[in-house]
Amino acid sequence: MSTFFNRMAELLFPARCSCCGQAADAGSLLCAECVRQIRPILPPFCPFCGTAEADCKCKKTPHAYKQAVAPFYYESVIRDALLRMKYGNREEVAVFLGRHLQDTILARYFGIPFTLITCVPATGEKMAERGFNQAESLTEEINPQAFSWMTVPPRVDCKLLKKRNMGEAQHTLGAEARRRNIRNSYRLHEKKSVKGEVILLIDDIVTTGATADEIASLFLLQGAEQVYVAAAALTRNTGAYGAKQRPV
């Protein structure tokens, strides 16, 4: 009986590719063409910006956070997937991206004693517009129980921070302007504490690292021990404050 209903569901609601939105095989998150085009970030990695060493142009610029990692570059079909999620209100894209994000975190951050997982918050305006925060949707796909090296798994709190509405959208700005625009944009919720925490901060895209830096600086000022960053995608020159910004 269940097989019959599954087949009916496939006919009525055919699978759609998370990246391009076209038809995909039943049970698949991507179509064959998008699978062919995906290029993951491959080792050896730069320990500062998270890109492959062959692509790194970060000049070892120091950040408030310890390290950034991501499974993909922000280009090609991955860029399409993130844009569909962010501007096309396709929250289900987070399932595909979140699976790869978790695999990357478990592999590249193995052994780090995280105590807290949180995400970059959205403004109330963006939440009202989209109905969800894409960074939070990605965080929800990460299973704290998968951190097998830890006796006590990290707790998850996506309501740790508040974000004010900024004058200009970050993706419209160059690197230096991003840092100025994001300054003092976040604050810790009342009655929340990060003292002594080893924090994993989740975002959808890391470009210059300005947002992650601002949040990590806040956490450290509030007594956190260390902050690490993980995102679904990095721009190929991420971490380079002089990197050219691509319009979204």
Side-chain angles (χ1 to χ4, degrees):
M1 186 66 73
S2 60
T3 302
F4 169 77
F5 284 115
N6 287 339
R7 288 176 179 171
M8 287 298 295
E10 290 171 6
L11 290 172
L12 293 171
F13 307 103
R16 294 288 171 183
C17 175
S18 294
C19 289
C20 68
Q22 300 301 311
D25 292 337
S28 298
L29 294 174
L30 298 183
C31 67
E33 178 59 22
C34 284
V35 169
R36 186 184 68 79
Q37 293 185 51
I38 285 179
R39 296 291 183 270
I41 301 175
L42 298 175
F45 306 108
C46 171
F48 290 85
C49 67
T51 65
E53 284 187 354
D55 298 319
C56 176
K57 296 181 181 179
C58 76
K59 300 179 182 178
K60 309 301 180 281
T61 303
H63 292 283
Y65 56 86
K66 295 283 289 184
Q67 189 177 348
V69 301
F72 304 115
Y73 285 123
Y74 181 61
E75 55 194 31
S76 185
V77 296
I78 297 302
R79 182 179 187 273
D80 294 342
L82 282 160
L83 291 178
R84 288 185 76 238
M85 179 170 64
K86 197 168 185 175
Y87 299 110
N89 295 324
R90 307 296 302 196
E91 189 179 9
E92 66 273 13
V93 173
V95 176
F96 159 70
L97 294 173
R99 289 180 184 179
H100 289 275
L101 178 57
Q102 175 170 290
D103 289 345
T104 298
I105 290 168
L106 297 180
R108 295 178 62 184
Y109 283 157
F110 182 85
I112 295 175
F114 293 113
T115 58
L116 175 61
I117 301 174
T118 190
C119 66
V120 175
T123 62
E125 179 183 2
K126 289 299 182 184
M127 285 294 291
E129 178 183 325
R130 294 185 189 132
F132 66 93
N133 171 12
Q134 66 274 7
E136 184 172 351
S137 297
L138 289 167
T139 305
E140 289 171 353
E141 297 300 321
I142 296 170
N143 178 12
Q145 301 297 326
F147 291 69
S148 58
W149 61 91
M150 298 183 61
T151 305
V152 178
R155 74 183 194 281
V156 179
D157 186 351
C158 289
K159 307 302 180 186
L160 197 62
L161 294 167
K162 287 184 178 180
K163 181 183 180 183
R164 67 171 175 82
N165 291 325
M166 295 181 295
E168 297 181 75
Q170 284 289 87
H171 69 258
T172 67
L173 303 173
E176 180 60 38
R178 283 173 181 248
R179 291 199 301 281
R180 292 195 303 268
N181 192 53
I182 204 73
R183 200 162 293 149
N184 301 319
S185 293
Y186 301 94
R187 66 183 178 86
L188 203 62
H189 265 279
E190 299 82 1
K191 299 182 180 179
K192 299 275 187 176
S193 173
V194 294
K195 187 174 182 179
E197 305 280 10
V198 179
I199 300 172
L200 176 59
L201 176 66
I202 306 296
D203 202 359
D204 56 343
I205 308 162
V206 171
T207 303
T208 63
T211 297
D213 249 340
E214 180 70 16
I215 293 174
S217 296
L218 171 62
F219 285 155
L220 294 174
L221 285 171
Q222 294 289 331
E225 287 191 12
Q226 294 176 326
V227 181
Y228 294 80
V229 177
L234 304 172
T235 55
R236 196 172 284 269
N237 288 335
T238 194
Y241 281 151
K244 293 180 180 180
Q245 301 307 307
R246 302 176 184 175
V248 174

